[in-house]
Amino acid sequence: MTEQNGIDLDSLQTMAKVLGSLFYFPLTDENNQSLIKAMAADSTEQESAFSDWCQTVNSELKDTLNQDFFLLFEGGEIMVAPPWGSVYLDREEVIFGDSTVAYRQFLREHGIELDTGMREPEDQFGLMLFAVSQFLEQKAELEVVKNLFSDHLLPWCYRYLELVQEHALSKSYKELADLAGQWCEAVQEVLSIEPKPLKLYR
């Protein structure tokens, strides 16, 4: 177990990676199905909420989950819960806004390259959690991880997760957004992070 100031960094890294996957790929994706199967079998107290959530996912039709993924993460003409930070932090509510550029610069300064093979904003919620996981995996300074949360993720993610809960058609995504919000609050408390007070436009 890797600990720093009494904080279990291995657990933090694992959960960032798991939530990153669940918010970036469809729940019906093969990797996510493997994760869900593993979490469902984990009966430890810490993971019990996720174990219950896995039962919810398994009780819903794949078509319902895929439809929800399209609605929430790809969208048609209207995005009801955009997963990109700059949509919330930019006055024009655009992707690739100034906050995306600042976050991209932050990643570069600290040696993280997120290449998904697609031209997409790095400030997608799931991708940002992957970055958290990557920093922890590479044993980056804890202050860097805290800065990612305080300056780039926490200022907008609670509003985003509220919108996911509000607009999701499936219980799976409603509950997942709730669990992710609880996890972010726990990280904020454990690491003593004060989110930057940035104005939200959505």
Side-chain angles (χ1 to χ4, degrees), residues 15-178:
M15 282 310 302
K17 194 169 190 176
V18 167
L19 285 170
S21 183
L22 296 175
F23 274 91
Y24 185 69
F25 301 107
L27 294 180
T28 53
D29 174 83
E30 191 177 328
N31 286 338
N32 277 342
Q33 284 292 303
S34 297
L35 278 175
I36 290 163
K37 192 173 180 182
M39 286 192 291
D42 189 341
S43 58
T44 59
E45 189 178 336
Q46 184 187 359
E47 303 297 338
S48 61
F50 276 94
S51 183
D52 292 344
W53 173 75
C54 292
Q55 291 180 23
T56 301
V57 176
N58 290 329
S59 73
E60 297 196 285
L61 296 172
K62 288 195 171 184
D63 283 352
T64 304
L65 297 175
N66 285 336
Q67 184 184 354
D68 228 6
F69 181 82
F70 175 77
L71 170 80
L72 296 167
F73 297 93
E74 295 174 334
E77 291 180 14
I78 298 173
M79 285 291 289
V80 292
W84 305 283
S86 69
V87 178
Y88 301 86
L89 299 172
D90 191 286
R91 187 184 298 275
E92 304 298 322
E93 298 183 29
V94 294
I95 60 172
F96 291 110
D98 289 344
S99 63
T100 312
V101 175
Y103 177 58
R104 181 181 295 163
Q105 182 62 29
F106 169 81
L107 291 178
R108 280 186 185 148
E109 282 173 9
H110 297 288
I112 293 284
E113 204 62 58
L114 290 176
D115 184 10
T116 62
M118 296 185 285
R119 186 180 181 272
E120 61 181 329
E122 292 91 335
D123 59 348
Q124 197 267 4
F125 182 71
L127 280 180
M128 292 183 86
L129 294 180
F130 278 142
V132 169
S133 172
Q134 206 169 329
F135 275 130
L136 290 167
E137 200 171 338
Q138 293 177 4
K139 307 289 189 287
E141 290 289 327
L142 194 54
E143 206 56 40
V144 173
V145 176
K146 290 172 70 170
N147 286 345
L148 191 158
F149 275 105
S150 64
D151 295 2
H152 302 285
L153 183 62
L154 292 178
W156 64 275
C157 75
Y158 293 120
R159 176 59 183 150
Y160 161 64
L161 293 169
E162 270 178 20
L163 289 175
V164 173
Q165 282 184 270
E166 188 181 325
H167 293 287
L169 302 174
S170 65
K171 277 186 71 179
S172 296
Y173 275 109
K174 286 182 188 293
E175 291 177 10
L176 179 60
D178 183 47

